[in-house]
Amino acid sequence: MRLTQRQRLAYLYIAETWRRIVRGLAQPRAMAIGLPGSAAGRLIVAPTDLRAIDPFVAEEIYEGRFPLAGRVLDAGNQSPFLLELPTYHFAVRLHAFSWLRHIRSDKSPQACANARAIVDDWIELHGSRIGGVAWEADVIAQRIIAWLSHSTVVLQDADSGFYKRFLSSLSFQVRYLRRCARHAPAGLPRLRLRIALAMASISMETRASRIRRAARELNREIDRQILPDGGHVSRNPQAAVELLFDLLPLRQTYINLGHDVPVKLIPAIDRMYPAIRFFRHQSGDLGLFNGASSTLANDLMSVLRYDETAGQPFKALPHSQYHRMTAGGTVLLVDTGLPISSDLSRAAHAGCLSFELSSGRHRFIINSGSPRFAGEKLRQLARTTAAHSTVCIGTASSARFSESDYLGPVMVAGVSKVDVSRQTGPDASDRLCVSHDGYLAKFGVLHEREIRVNEAGNKIAGRDRFLKADGTPSTEPPPEPAVARFHIHPAITLERVDERKVRMLAPDGESWTFSIPSGELAIGDDVFFADASGVRPSNQLEIAFQGPEIRWFLAHHA
């Protein structure tokens, strides 16, 4: 039964109220574990950190400047924890301590002593004051992983007093996180929490029963979040890369110490690698869907060097709900799905039926992606249908998100059904036809997109049209103006050939011609949210509907 928007909102409010009640009851229990005291046991091992390091960042931190989350905080001789922090994302990065990895590039006594002093400041100022960003579950999990992984840096030449304070604080954070685990936000934060607890169980001296329990809980969360096709339940292509940065060292630490590896861990890793390859463009970049932003090439290669799976990328990820069309040197990635649950829709985008095109070493048509460190207003703007390479009716998106501070940015209405058909034509062409009902409630129509790629991969034919509720073709345009947008990567130059044809030119001379048989092909200003250097201007191609359907074509030129 299809819920109305009002019914869905009522359900979401009831569910959120219940979650808050349960978390509220759990908070006193979590805080009742007691303040940090004498540390039990010792550190056994420092797991490896696979993330890339930057000597420049290490030097800046030594000088009292913290370049994090797209901002720089000049703390001078003060503790950064005493200052007003620039943004929420900066605060998360600072309190998560993932920046400790950069100190590995300069393990001089002075650099290690400086890092140790910053950790000691945190212990004094925040170690026993539960609350704020520093004690959000996901931040605690990241900090535990960072402190364990870089304990050799922090503890180099440390005196016994600091060692006790460090281990005491670490133990306290682990105990607190263990109590809060069941009420952590769904999705990636909850899985990272379980990874942190499993890593702590084998990196710190503890009971064997604690190690087994952490492994069981990790197994359960992997089962919930890593889909059979290797994708993550968030449908964000970047999530698998972020998880492998922690799962790979965890696997190796289990093996090195002779512990039984959690039974779900290695199979999950083996499934995730083909999914990452599925989302890779010819350029090596990952597709920008459902919250994905730019992935640094060094980070991606750090993960991919451990890929022991083989074979070509799949044509489809049926559980993650994506399709990949490849021919010659051409790759198209198409979003053919919807959020798996409302809890997992907080970062989902209204990009159903959007696609990305890459060829040679370049991405030509993309989605605008999600900004890495921008404010909430831009992050929500990036989630709209207009920020994706698909069709938008008026100013409406195919999915609507809550603007309530109480609910948070969950999806409250939109796509509830997607029909997919894929066939190989008699000429060996690859044909994908998909429709969704995201506009049905508001406008009474379905949106259908058909894409054909020829065998050589140098010609693409597309059609977007509106269908009636029963699936038959509509004979009228939608009640509000509809536009198909095709977002162009900032590295691509557009050259107008005529009013119905535009050439997309890559820096090395490779090009595609985008054309339409009727109407006008407009070039509009655009914004690319996902650039590693920050939000930057770009262009988009726009086709306005004059009737119930439009056709468009792409032709490749070497």
Side-chain angles (χ1 to χ4, degrees):
M1 182 181 70
R2 183 186 177 92
L3 296 176
T4 66
Q5 184 169 337
R6 180 172 294 181
Q7 290 171 327
R8 182 171 175 79
L9 274 171
Y11 166 79
L12 291 172
Y13 271 103
I14 293 170
E16 180 61 24
T17 300
W18 175 248
R19 275 193 291 268
R20 292 189 180 209
I21 291 172
V22 172
R23 289 173 186 169
L25 293 172
Q27 187 74 4
R29 293 182 63 250
M31 296 179 70
I33 62 177
L35 297 178
S38 58
R42 59 190 174 87
L43 286 176
I44 296 172
V45 68
T48 304
D49 190 335
L50 302 179
R51 294 171 176 85
I53 62 176
D54 188 340
F56 170 77
V57 176
E59 183 178 344
E60 287 288 283
I61 291 174
Y62 183 72
E63 296 294 333
R65 294 183 293 271
F66 292 80
L68 305 172
R71 300 294 184 93
V72 178
L73 175 69
D74 191 345
N77 295 322
Q78 299 184 76
S79 167
F81 303 111
L82 291 172
L83 304 178
E84 182 179 351
L85 303 181
T87 66
Y88 170 78
H89 296 291
F90 185 99
V92 168
R93 289 295 181 95
L94 180 65
H95 285 285
F97 280 86
S98 58
W99 49 266
L100 278 173
R101 70 183 187 275
H102 301 297
I103 311 301
R104 298 204 324 264
S105 65
D106 176 20
K107 294 179 68 174
S108 65
Q110 296 83 0
C112 293
N114 183 60
R116 184 161 56 253
I118 298 170
V119 172
D120 214 9
D121 284 342
W122 188 92
I123 293 172
E124 180 181 353
L125 296 169
H126 293 280
S128 59
R129 300 177 183 176
I130 297 175
V133 175
W135 287 90
E136 291 179 3
D138 192 34
V139 177
I140 302 172
Q142 293 180 59
R143 185 167 57 247
I144 289 172
I145 293 170
W147 281 19
L148 290 172
S149 299
H150 306 295
S151 56
T152 54
V153 169
V154 176
L155 296 175
Q156 181 176 307
D157 300 326
D159 58 35
S160 60
F162 176 80
Y163 180 85
K164 290 178 181 177
R165 289 194 300 278
F166 179 77
L167 194 55
S168 174
S169 178
L170 192 55
S171 300
F172 176 70
Q173 292 176 60
V174 170
R175 295 197 304 273
Y176 179 84
L177 194 62
R178 198 180 292 137
R179 294 289 184 93
C180 297
R182 291 185 180 180
H183 312 290
L188 191 60
R190 193 177 294 173
L191 180 50
R192 189 149 43 207
L193 179 155
R194 290 301 179 188
I195 293 170
L197 291 177
M199 190 174 288
S201 75
I202 56 176
S203 300
M204 303 169 69
E205 197 170 55
T206 190
R207 302 190 303 271
S209 60
R210 184 72 70 191
I211 296 175
R212 291 193 296 270
R213 180 176 178 180
R216 287 197 303 271
E217 296 294 345
L218 177 62
N219 282 330
R220 291 192 186 100
E221 204 58 43
I222 287 175
D223 249 358
R224 292 188 189 105
Q225 296 203 34
I226 307 303
L227 300 170
D229 59 21
H232 185 253
V233 288
S234 66
R235 303 188 65 244
N236 181 340
Q238 204 171 23
V241 177
E242 292 297 319
L243 285 169
L244 285 172
F245 273 126
D246 295 326
L247 290 175
L248 290 169
L250 179 62
R251 176 188 66 177
Q252 197 58 44
T253 305
Y254 270 106
I255 293 172
N256 291 346
L257 295 177
H259 293 297
D260 292 334
V261 181
V263 294
K264 302 292 184 178
L265 179 55
I266 293 177
I269 291 172
D270 289 343
R271 295 199 307 275
M272 291 164 75
Y273 271 116
I276 291 176
R277 290 203 307 271
F278 175 95
F279 287 113
R280 286 192 82 194
H281 279 291
Q282 291 290 83
S283 62
D285 299 284
L286 295 181
L288 300 174
F289 299 94
N290 287 296
S293 189
S294 57
T295 303
L296 299 179
N298 287 345
D299 285 344
L300 191 55
M301 292 312 299
S302 295
V303 166
L304 289 175
R305 72 163 59 106
Y306 296 95
D307 183 3
E308 298 175 355
T309 60
Q312 294 298 312
F314 300 132
K315 287 188 174 183
L317 296 182
H319 302 88
S320 301
Q321 305 169 75
Y322 288 96
H323 279 258
R324 179 184 176 99
M325 307 175 78
T326 60
T330 300
V331 172
L332 281 91
L333 301 175
V334 188
D335 183 348
T336 59
L338 63 157
I340 293 174
S341 71
S342 59
D343 276 347
L344 296 169
S345 71
R346 293 178 183 274
H349 285 208
C352 188
L353 272 59
S354 66
F355 77 94
E356 297 195 342
L357 165 69
S358 65
S359 174
R361 295 177 297 181
H362 302 282
R363 288 179 289 171
F364 284 82
I365 296 175
I366 56 172
N367 293 315
S368 297
S370 183
R372 289 166 62 87
F373 309 119
E376 192 62 19
K377 185 176 181 180
L378 284 182
R379 296 180 73 84
Q380 296 308 315
L381 185 61
R383 300 176 73 191
T384 63
T385 300
H388 298 76
S389 292
T390 186
V391 171
C392 189
I393 301 180
T395 58
S397 288
S398 60
R400 269 75 72 196
F401 303 101
S402 167
E403 297 179 0
S404 163
D405 292 336
Y406 187 80
L407 287 180
V410 297
M411 185 180 294
V412 297
V415 179
S416 63
K417 182 181 179 183
V418 181
D419 291 321
V420 182
S421 172
R422 188 167 181 181
Q423 302 158 338
T424 300
D427 56 354
S429 63
D430 191 359
R431 174 186 175 271
L432 177 67
C433 187
V434 195
S435 66
H436 75 68
D437 64 352
Y439 295 122
L440 184 60
K442 186 169 185 178
F443 300 108
V445 295
L446 307 174
H447 171 212
E448 180 187 79
R449 166 163 279 180
E450 179 184 349
I451 302 175
R452 292 177 183 266
V453 182
N454 72 344
E455 184 179 13
N458 58 6
K459 291 183 180 180
I460 300 170
R463 179 181 67 178
D464 287 289
R465 65 174 178 170
F466 295 109
L467 309 177
K468 297 177 183 178
D470 61 4
T472 59
S474 175
T475 57
E476 299 291 336
E480 292 190 21
V483 177
R485 292 182 174 89
F486 303 84
H487 298 271
I488 308 303
H489 192 276
I492 303 300
T493 302
L494 297 183
E495 296 180 352
R496 181 171 288 283
V497 179
D498 56 43
E499 67 176 8
R500 296 177 183 172
K501 188 178 296 183
V502 171
R503 189 182 184 202
M504 302 183 295
L505 184 64
D508 62 1
E510 183 176 9
S511 68
W512 284 80
T513 297
F514 192 110
S515 62
I516 57 176
S518 61
E520 181 180 353
L521 181 59
I523 299 177
D525 294 332
D526 196 16
V527 176
F528 182 48
F529 290 111
D531 195 81
S533 61
V535 177
R536 61 183 291 192
S538 58
N539 293 112
Q540 61 182 325
L541 300 178
E542 302 172 350
I543 310 172
F545 279 74
Q546 304 299 324
E549 75 172 46
I550 59 170
R551 293 180 181 270
W552 43 270
F553 302 92
L554 284 153
H556 177 257
H557 307 280

